[in-house]
Amino acid sequence: MNINSDFLKGIGNKITEFRDKNNQTQNDISFLTGIETSEISRYEQGKINMTISTFLKFAQALNVHPKQLCDFDFEIGKYAKKD
């Protein structure tokens, strides 16, 4: 249970969801963003961190507001540090 990887997986799931909804392939997103197709796959799986610039490229390519990519259930409280 890692806050960073769990959050990235949530964003990756939203990218996949919107891409599927738009009938776009990973190749389509690659063309629109300039990001390699293999890297798109790793972003969708939440395996690599993304910059804000990359995050915005995905939002633009998917034609969604950036906040829509963060619209998923995420229990931040379960990651609270215990003293």
Side-chain angles (χ1 to χ4, degrees), residues 19-33:
R19 182 175 57 75
D20 289 344
K21 183 179 177 182
N22 294 342
N23 295 314
Q24 293 171 296
T25 66
Q26 289 180 344
N27 286 334
D28 295 332
I29 300 301
S30 177
F31 176 78
L32 293 169
T33 62

Side-chain angles (χ1 to χ4, degrees), residues 15 19 25-45 48 54 57-58:
I15 290 170
R19 182 175 57 75
T25 66
Q26 289 180 344
N27 286 334
D28 295 332
I29 300 301
S30 177
F31 176 78
L32 293 169
T33 62
I35 300 168
E36 293 292 327
T37 304
S38 61
E39 207 170 337
I40 302 280
S41 175
R42 292 185 6 234
Y43 281 122
E44 288 185 351
Q45 295 172 46
I48 54 175
T54 300
K57 285 179 183 181
F58 276 111

